[in-house]
Amino acid sequence: MTGPEPLAQPVELPAPWRDCALTVVVPTYNEVGNVPRLVERLLALPLPGLRILIADDNSPDGTGEVADKLAARHPDRVIAVHRAGKEGLGRAYVDGMTRALDGGADFVAQMDADLSHPPEALPGLLGTLLSTRAGAVIGSRYVPGGQLDENWPLYRRALSGWANFYVHTLLNVRIRDLTAGFKVWRADTLRAIDLNRVQSNGYSFQVEMHYLATRLGHTIIEVPIRFEERTVGASKMTTRTKIESAVMPFRLRWKHRGLS
């Protein structure tokens, strides 16, 4: 049995859905070759209420300067945030999401800067969220219909599959793609989670966000996407990130044991 096709071409949302205040938060570190292409594809979407917030961790390759130029070119739609240094994915997301909420966003999207997440799927994710009572929608690699780029390395596939099995076992969170980084949140859900309590970094940030949301009673829906291997730049996966991801489920169970 085959599942639904991944969201690839942008769907046309009806008014007023397409006009929603949606801010896409994109953390960057050494993504100078990808950011202009990502911004171009996001701004081409039929979502006039979309804004892009680029949170750069003082990239030595000039990503921050490129973000400034894009913000100057699109002053009403692109925001460049410069952070002091490489503090990690989780800290960049917490900073960017907090700024998005403070700026009046009704919905906040997360996506990587490396073009592994198809921007064209974003209207479909937003439409799915708006048509349900869910707190967030994930662009998922692992639900029926989800796809992985054939060029994604075998060891990355194995690591991702093991990570999801490991976290499912320890935290009992019924989400297939627990480490997914492409999603849309309702602003109210993020406020209920309280971003100040999120301490994880790296890929475990994604797990903690899912864990907190489901423990607080928010539904998370998964929609299939095609995940592409990056063609420019290098992965930020490090040994330290892997160790943090392995330890974090135990910390989460203890830290949030009274949460409901």
Side-chain angles (χ1 to χ4, degrees), residues 38 66 147 152 211:
L38 175 61
V66 169
Q147 299 175 6
W152 210 39
Y211 184 63

Side-chain angles (χ1 to χ4, degrees), residues 5-230:
E5 287 295 314
L7 297 173
Q9 298 301 317
V11 299
E12 291 279 351
L13 298 178
W17 286 9
R18 63 173 172 260
D19 300 315
C20 287
L22 168 67
T23 297
V24 183
V25 178
V26 183
T28 58
Y29 186 78
N30 287 351
E31 296 289 355
V32 69
N34 289 316
V35 167
R37 292 190 295 159
L38 175 61
V39 168
E40 179 183 8
R41 288 169 65 179
L42 283 171
L43 293 182
L45 297 175
L47 296 172
L50 181 147
R51 304 291 181 269
I52 306 165
L53 190 153
I54 302 168
D56 185 64
D57 275 6
N58 195 24
S59 299
D61 73 344
T63 301
E65 289 80 359
V66 169
D68 282 337
K69 292 178 181 178
L70 291 166
R73 192 177 308 157
H74 308 283
D76 296 328
R77 304 198 68 187
V78 179
I79 303 166
V81 174
H82 298 277
R83 294 165 44 75
K86 190 178 181 183
E87 298 177 355
L89 183 73
R91 297 304 92 209
Y93 263 131
V94 167
D95 187 2
M97 290 173 150
T98 300
R99 291 172 184 264
L101 294 176
D102 290 345
D106 294 320
F107 302 90
V108 179
Q110 296 177 233
M111 66 187 308
D112 292 346
D114 61 6
L115 298 173
S116 58
H117 302 140
E120 292 73 22
L122 196 56
L125 296 184
L126 178 61
T128 299
L129 185 60
L130 284 163
S131 64
T132 67
R133 300 176 66 87
V137 172
I138 293 173
S140 176
R141 299 163 287 186
Y142 301 131
V143 292
Q147 299 175 6
L148 287 170
D149 191 321
E150 296 78 7
N151 294 318
W152 210 39
L154 182 59
Y155 81 92
R156 291 292 302 275
R157 291 170 182 259
L159 182 62
S160 178
W162 166 250
N164 276 281
F165 171 78
Y166 177 74
V167 176
H168 283 146
T169 302
L170 290 176
L171 297 182
N172 194 33
V173 179
R174 298 306 176 194
I175 296 172
R176 295 197 183 197
D177 199 347
L178 274 164
T179 58
F182 186 28
K183 67 201 79 168
V184 182
W185 295 91
R186 292 186 187 272
D188 289 346
T189 303
L190 292 177
R191 292 189 181 98
I193 288 172
D194 184 1
L195 294 169
N196 290 322
R197 80 167 114 210
V198 179
Q199 299 300 315
S200 304
N201 218 332
Y203 295 91
S204 59
F205 167 80
Q206 314 291 5
V207 174
E208 183 170 10
M209 290 291 288
H210 296 150
Y211 184 63
L212 286 170
T214 54
R215 285 294 299 270
L216 290 166
H218 298 278
T219 300
I220 297 179
I221 296 174
E222 294 181 81
V223 173
I225 63 161
R226 176 177 170 81
F227 181 87
E228 301 287 348
E229 171 67 336
R230 69 159 61 238

